[in-house]
Amino acid sequence: MLENLRAAWRSLSANKLRSFLTMLGVIIGVGAVVCLISLGQGAGAMITSQIRALGSNLIMIASAGRPPLLAEDAEDLVERMPELVRAMPMVSRTVTVKWGRETWETTVQGVTPDLPAIRDFYPLVGRFVQQTDIQARRRVAVVGQTVVDELFGGKLPLGETILLQGQAFTVVGIMERKGEAMGTDQDDVIFIPLTTAQRLLGTKRVNLIYAQVSDDADPSAVVQRITAIFAAKHRRSDTVRVFSQEQLLQTVAEATRTLTIMLAGIAAVSLLVGGIGIMNIMLVSITERTREIGIRKAVGARRNQLLQQFLVESSLLSVMGGVIGITAGWAGSRVVAQIGGWPTALSVQAAALAFGFAVLVGIFFGVYPAWKAANLDPIRALRYE
Amino acid sequence: MIRLQGVGKVYRMGKVLVRALEDINLEIEEGEMLAIMGPSGSGKSTLMNILGCLDRPSSGTYLWRGRDVTQLSDDQLSEFRNRWVGFVFQTFNLLPRFSALDNVELPLFYRGVPRRERRRRAREVLELVGLGDRIHHLPSELSGGERQRVAIARAVVGDPRLILADEPTGNLDSRSGGEIMNLFEELNRRGVTVVVVTHDPAIAERAPRRVLLRDGRVERDYRNGREEVMAKDA
Ligand SMILES: Nc1ncnc2c1ncn2[C@@H]1O[C@H](COP(=O)(O)OP(=O)(O)O)[C@@H](O)[C@H]1O
Ligand SMILES: [Mg+2]
């Protein structure tokens, strides 16, 4: 076997350019799979972690028409459904905030004291919105880190007065840094009491209710019940959209899986093409080496010895193509990751699969040429010019 | 050692049948040295191929030490050649990308001899043919005479009982040709049976027995200055 490998290596390296071009099909096939699947899984992992970063066991209820969603709906849900640990109504809008001469465009969210527990997002300094703030409609604000950086130039703004749509608010707390999730900066935010926000924005409704499900409840069953409750209350089924964090995660997982299967299909086709390339070159090579085969037969090479020799050659081609392809694909995904700020996860499974498939292709498409070589008539082979 | 009885060989070229050999009766003793002569196309190479089991006769029988080898399978013929026969060709037929040493060890490779042992014996026979200092040269780096000596080394490395040389001096000048014949005589003295195809009467002179082919038949079969040797009938 080692002997065969050495001989195969010799005959492949005798024609380096051609060997390389032959491998190219396999290299591109394997490389593309490894690169794309690494990127796809990296993106999937990133989105998943961002969805998890929203909090845990969350259900989102978004207003989608009339009648509108109200703050009381949240209380009502918690009362009627023991599976819900808490529910938080929220109203939000983009506004311009002023501090002295500085201005900054940010999202104001009217929330309740439940937000830190639901979103797993806590104040770092000062305090969060409290129940008394809600009752008294106090004009207090808790600011995110991006606002601290952009509006206050990094200075601690505790106790400062800011203007939201001309109304003065006192900064009573600063949130910890949360980072980016779902493509938005989670720290570019100002939290104020829900009731204050409703008055400020001149509305009675809320945009969204975040509900947190207890650990032992089934989120999809809860989603169905909530949908049913609103359908009964509003006498229409299209006034809210309810979805769980679970469902989002599943959607992402499914999208990633679909993507992976598609890529695998593309890869299979390109590997097939690569395999046909190998067969083609092996056939050419055997024709060119007819005389050599004749000589080998004259000195006593048996059929399966020649069969082995040529199979090892085509397998070696595809194995080397596979190794180079994995390396290139991995390097390619790293480059894309560097340039695009996109996370990658080298999928060992994908690499192993692509590699194994490439080797199989090499053997499969090597069999016919090798068989042909092994069965050449020595007399004809020796007379071949 | 060898007995051909009524051997014929027919090639089919499309619809035309070419009778390369017809009713050949030939006996070769262990340790003989004989030259086969005859005009081009008279069937000399075909006869060599059959003697060396590269090809099977279309008719007749070939007995090797009393055993019929015409019924052997392809793989059995390969093993037969590997064990008993060494070929030397007019055009050398060396593997161009392999060094002299690699070329010479090839028969032992197919016999399954371990690499170290193979190298040792290949080196030995290369020294025997006077190329001890050329073992790592490629065929393209050697002269015609040297190439043919590599080919002879390859033919004898497996310690065969029969050397078949088809016009081994045809591509060489007369001096190198003479040296090649010296080698064959030396091998013959060591007991190896040698059959040489040649056009050159001076070369043929050096073989004690000469067989003349014409149109696929044995026209004459004679020893030095003596009466003709006729193949015995079975
Ligand atoms: N493989 C073959 N196919 C068809 N005809 C062949 C083949 N080999 C030899 N012949 C024919 O058989 C005859 C004898 O050929 P060969 O043995 O090569 O003669 P020599 O070696 O004496 O010149 C020639 O007419 C040649 O054309
Ligand atoms: Mg000839």
Side-chain angles (χ1 to χ4, degrees), chain A residues 3 6 296-297 299, chain B residues 81-82 93 110 115 118:
Chain A
E3 304 272 4
R6 190 177 301 157
R296 289 177 183 276
K297 287 208 149 186
V299 302
Chain B
R81 291 192 295 273
N82 187 266
N93 275 341
Y110 288 117
R115 182 176 151 87
R118 254 173 21 220

Side-chain angles (χ1 to χ4, degrees), chain A residues 379-380 383, chain B residues 11-13 18-20 38-47 166-167:
Chain A
I379 301 294
R380 273 169 209 269
R383 288 167 69 98
Chain B
Y11 289 113
R12 194 184 304 275
M13 298 268 289
V18 181
R19 293 180 191 283
S40 185
S42 58
K44 305 182 296 294
S45 296
T46 305
L47 178 59
D166 194 348
E167 303 192 35

